Short mmCIF file of all heavy atoms in Angstrom, two decimals:
data_model
loop_
_atom_site.label_atom_id
_atom_site.label_comp_id
_atom_site.label_asym_id
_atom_site.label_seq_id
_atom_site.Cartn_x
_atom_site.Cartn_y
_atom_site.Cartn_z
N GLY A 1 91.15 -137.57 -74.50
CA GLY A 1 92.42 -137.65 -75.21
C GLY A 1 93.58 -137.84 -74.25
O GLY A 1 93.43 -137.82 -73.03
N ILE A 2 94.75 -138.02 -74.86
CA ILE A 2 96.01 -138.21 -74.14
C ILE A 2 97.02 -137.20 -74.68
O ILE A 2 96.99 -136.85 -75.87
CB ILE A 2 96.54 -139.65 -74.31
CG1 ILE A 2 95.56 -140.65 -73.68
CG2 ILE A 2 97.94 -139.81 -73.72
CD1 ILE A 2 95.39 -140.53 -72.17
N ARG A 3 97.92 -136.74 -73.80
CA ARG A 3 98.97 -135.82 -74.22
C ARG A 3 100.25 -136.13 -73.48
O ARG A 3 100.23 -136.61 -72.34
CB ARG A 3 98.55 -134.37 -73.94
CG ARG A 3 99.52 -133.33 -74.49
CD ARG A 3 99.02 -131.91 -74.28
NE ARG A 3 99.42 -131.38 -72.99
CZ ARG A 3 99.67 -130.09 -72.75
NH1 ARG A 3 99.57 -129.20 -73.73
NH2 ARG A 3 100.00 -129.67 -71.55
N HIS A 4 101.37 -135.86 -74.12
CA HIS A 4 102.69 -135.98 -73.52
C HIS A 4 103.47 -134.72 -73.87
O HIS A 4 103.31 -134.17 -74.97
CB HIS A 4 103.41 -137.23 -74.05
CG HIS A 4 104.82 -137.35 -73.56
ND1 HIS A 4 105.13 -137.74 -72.27
CD2 HIS A 4 106.01 -137.15 -74.18
CE1 HIS A 4 106.44 -137.77 -72.12
NE2 HIS A 4 107.00 -137.41 -73.26
N GLN A 5 104.35 -134.29 -72.97
CA GLN A 5 105.15 -133.09 -73.22
C GLN A 5 106.26 -133.38 -74.22
O GLN A 5 107.45 -133.36 -73.92
CB GLN A 5 105.73 -132.56 -71.90
CG GLN A 5 104.89 -131.51 -71.24
CD GLN A 5 103.63 -132.08 -70.59
OE1 GLN A 5 103.38 -133.26 -70.62
NE2 GLN A 5 102.83 -131.21 -70.00
N VAL A 6 105.86 -133.62 -75.46
CA VAL A 6 106.82 -133.89 -76.53
C VAL A 6 107.78 -132.71 -76.70
O VAL A 6 108.95 -132.89 -77.05
CB VAL A 6 106.09 -134.20 -77.85
CG1 VAL A 6 107.08 -134.46 -78.98
CG2 VAL A 6 105.17 -135.40 -77.68
N GLN A 7 107.31 -131.52 -76.42
CA GLN A 7 108.16 -130.32 -76.57
C GLN A 7 109.44 -130.40 -75.73
O GLN A 7 110.43 -129.73 -76.05
CB GLN A 7 107.37 -129.08 -76.16
CG GLN A 7 106.95 -129.07 -74.70
CD GLN A 7 106.18 -127.81 -74.33
OE1 GLN A 7 105.98 -126.94 -75.15
NE2 GLN A 7 105.73 -127.74 -73.08
N ASP A 8 109.42 -131.21 -74.67
CA ASP A 8 110.58 -131.32 -73.80
C ASP A 8 111.48 -132.50 -74.16
O ASP A 8 112.53 -132.69 -73.52
CB ASP A 8 110.13 -131.46 -72.34
CG ASP A 8 109.40 -130.22 -71.84
OD1 ASP A 8 109.72 -129.12 -72.33
OD2 ASP A 8 108.52 -130.36 -70.97
N GLU A 9 111.08 -133.30 -75.13
CA GLU A 9 111.90 -134.45 -75.53
C GLU A 9 113.08 -133.97 -76.39
O GLU A 9 112.88 -133.25 -77.37
CB GLU A 9 111.06 -135.45 -76.32
CG GLU A 9 109.97 -136.13 -75.51
CD GLU A 9 110.53 -137.10 -74.48
OE1 GLU A 9 111.73 -137.47 -74.59
OE2 GLU A 9 109.77 -137.47 -73.56
N PRO A 10 114.31 -134.37 -76.05
CA PRO A 10 115.47 -133.92 -76.83
C PRO A 10 115.51 -134.49 -78.24
O PRO A 10 116.11 -133.88 -79.13
CB PRO A 10 116.67 -134.39 -76.00
CG PRO A 10 116.14 -135.49 -75.12
CD PRO A 10 114.71 -135.14 -74.86
N ASP A 11 114.90 -135.64 -78.44
CA ASP A 11 114.88 -136.27 -79.76
C ASP A 11 113.77 -135.64 -80.61
O ASP A 11 112.59 -135.80 -80.29
CB ASP A 11 114.64 -137.78 -79.62
CG ASP A 11 114.60 -138.50 -80.97
OD1 ASP A 11 114.82 -137.84 -82.01
OD2 ASP A 11 114.37 -139.73 -80.96
N PRO A 12 114.09 -134.92 -81.69
CA PRO A 12 113.05 -134.27 -82.48
C PRO A 12 112.12 -135.27 -83.16
O PRO A 12 111.04 -134.88 -83.61
CB PRO A 12 113.83 -133.45 -83.51
CG PRO A 12 115.16 -134.12 -83.61
CD PRO A 12 115.45 -134.66 -82.23
N GLU A 13 112.53 -136.54 -83.23
CA GLU A 13 111.69 -137.57 -83.84
C GLU A 13 111.17 -138.55 -82.80
O GLU A 13 110.89 -139.71 -83.10
CB GLU A 13 112.48 -138.30 -84.93
CG GLU A 13 112.85 -137.38 -86.09
CD GLU A 13 113.36 -138.14 -87.30
OE1 GLU A 13 113.84 -139.28 -87.14
OE2 GLU A 13 113.26 -137.59 -88.41
N TRP A 14 110.99 -138.08 -81.59
CA TRP A 14 110.48 -138.94 -80.50
C TRP A 14 109.16 -139.59 -80.89
O TRP A 14 108.92 -140.76 -80.57
CB TRP A 14 110.31 -138.09 -79.23
CG TRP A 14 109.87 -138.87 -78.03
CD1 TRP A 14 110.67 -139.54 -77.15
CD2 TRP A 14 108.52 -139.06 -77.57
NE1 TRP A 14 109.90 -140.13 -76.17
CE2 TRP A 14 108.59 -139.84 -76.40
CE3 TRP A 14 107.28 -138.63 -78.02
CZ2 TRP A 14 107.45 -140.22 -75.68
CZ3 TRP A 14 106.14 -139.00 -77.32
CH2 TRP A 14 106.22 -139.78 -76.16
N LEU A 15 108.29 -138.85 -81.56
CA LEU A 15 106.98 -139.38 -81.93
C LEU A 15 107.08 -140.57 -82.89
O LEU A 15 106.11 -141.33 -83.04
CB LEU A 15 106.13 -138.29 -82.58
CG LEU A 15 105.55 -137.25 -81.62
CD1 LEU A 15 105.11 -136.01 -82.38
CD2 LEU A 15 104.37 -137.84 -80.85
N LEU A 16 108.21 -140.74 -83.54
CA LEU A 16 108.38 -141.80 -84.53
C LEU A 16 109.07 -143.04 -83.96
O LEU A 16 109.29 -144.01 -84.69
CB LEU A 16 109.15 -141.28 -85.74
CG LEU A 16 108.48 -140.11 -86.46
CD1 LEU A 16 109.35 -139.63 -87.61
CD2 LEU A 16 107.10 -140.51 -86.96
N ARG A 17 109.40 -143.03 -82.69
CA ARG A 17 109.97 -144.23 -82.07
C ARG A 17 108.96 -145.37 -82.14
O ARG A 17 107.75 -145.15 -81.95
CB ARG A 17 110.34 -143.94 -80.62
CG ARG A 17 111.59 -143.11 -80.45
CD ARG A 17 111.83 -142.70 -79.01
NE ARG A 17 111.42 -143.70 -78.02
CZ ARG A 17 111.65 -143.58 -76.72
NH1 ARG A 17 112.26 -142.49 -76.24
NH2 ARG A 17 111.25 -144.51 -75.88
N PRO A 18 109.39 -146.58 -82.39
CA PRO A 18 108.45 -147.71 -82.49
C PRO A 18 107.58 -147.89 -81.26
O PRO A 18 106.37 -148.17 -81.38
CB PRO A 18 109.37 -148.91 -82.71
CG PRO A 18 110.57 -148.34 -83.39
CD PRO A 18 110.76 -146.99 -82.77
N ASP A 19 108.18 -147.71 -80.05
CA ASP A 19 107.36 -147.89 -78.85
C ASP A 19 106.33 -146.78 -78.70
O ASP A 19 105.21 -147.01 -78.22
CB ASP A 19 108.23 -148.00 -77.60
CG ASP A 19 109.20 -146.83 -77.43
OD1 ASP A 19 109.35 -146.02 -78.37
OD2 ASP A 19 109.83 -146.74 -76.35
N VAL A 20 106.67 -145.57 -79.14
CA VAL A 20 105.71 -144.46 -79.09
C VAL A 20 104.59 -144.67 -80.10
O VAL A 20 103.41 -144.47 -79.78
CB VAL A 20 106.43 -143.11 -79.32
CG1 VAL A 20 105.42 -141.97 -79.41
CG2 VAL A 20 107.44 -142.84 -78.22
N LEU A 21 104.94 -145.08 -81.30
CA LEU A 21 103.90 -145.35 -82.31
C LEU A 21 102.96 -146.46 -81.85
O LEU A 21 101.75 -146.39 -82.11
CB LEU A 21 104.56 -145.72 -83.64
CG LEU A 21 105.26 -144.58 -84.39
CD1 LEU A 21 106.04 -145.11 -85.57
CD2 LEU A 21 104.24 -143.53 -84.85
N ARG A 22 103.51 -147.46 -81.17
CA ARG A 22 102.64 -148.52 -80.63
C ARG A 22 101.68 -147.94 -79.59
O ARG A 22 100.50 -148.28 -79.56
CB ARG A 22 103.51 -149.62 -80.01
CG ARG A 22 102.70 -150.79 -79.44
CD ARG A 22 103.62 -151.79 -78.75
NE ARG A 22 104.43 -151.15 -77.72
CZ ARG A 22 103.98 -150.89 -76.50
NH1 ARG A 22 102.73 -151.17 -76.16
NH2 ARG A 22 104.77 -150.31 -75.62
N GLY A 23 102.19 -147.04 -78.75
CA GLY A 23 101.33 -146.41 -77.76
C GLY A 23 100.28 -145.53 -78.40
O GLY A 23 99.12 -145.50 -77.97
N LEU A 24 100.66 -144.80 -79.43
CA LEU A 24 99.69 -143.96 -80.14
C LEU A 24 98.61 -144.80 -80.78
O LEU A 24 97.43 -144.41 -80.80
CB LEU A 24 100.41 -143.12 -81.20
CG LEU A 24 101.31 -141.99 -80.68
CD1 LEU A 24 102.12 -141.39 -81.81
CD2 LEU A 24 100.49 -140.91 -79.98
N ALA A 25 98.97 -145.97 -81.31
CA ALA A 25 97.97 -146.87 -81.88
C ALA A 25 96.99 -147.33 -80.81
O ALA A 25 95.78 -147.47 -81.07
CB ALA A 25 98.65 -148.07 -82.53
N ALA A 26 97.48 -147.52 -79.58
CA ALA A 26 96.59 -147.90 -78.48
C ALA A 26 95.63 -146.77 -78.14
O ALA A 26 94.47 -147.02 -77.77
CB ALA A 26 97.42 -148.30 -77.26
N VAL A 27 96.11 -145.53 -78.24
CA VAL A 27 95.23 -144.38 -78.00
C VAL A 27 94.09 -144.39 -79.02
O VAL A 27 92.92 -144.18 -78.69
CB VAL A 27 96.03 -143.07 -78.08
CG1 VAL A 27 95.11 -141.86 -78.02
CG2 VAL A 27 97.05 -143.00 -76.94
#
């Protein structure tokens, strides 16, 4: 698996950014 320290991201919706969703799809 893959993990990122989302807990430290100031944007509460960081996981919903288009570039992040594209990366998650690659995972």
Side-chain angles (χ1 to χ4, degrees):
I2 296 296
R3 187 176 87 148
H4 175 75
Q5 266 74 1
V6 179
Q7 63 179 358
D8 296 330
E9 293 290 344
D11 180 3
E13 295 192 337
W14 183 86
L15 285 162
L16 300 178
R17 285 173 35 175
D19 54 350
V20 174
L21 288 171
R22 181 184 56 81
L24 289 171
V27 172

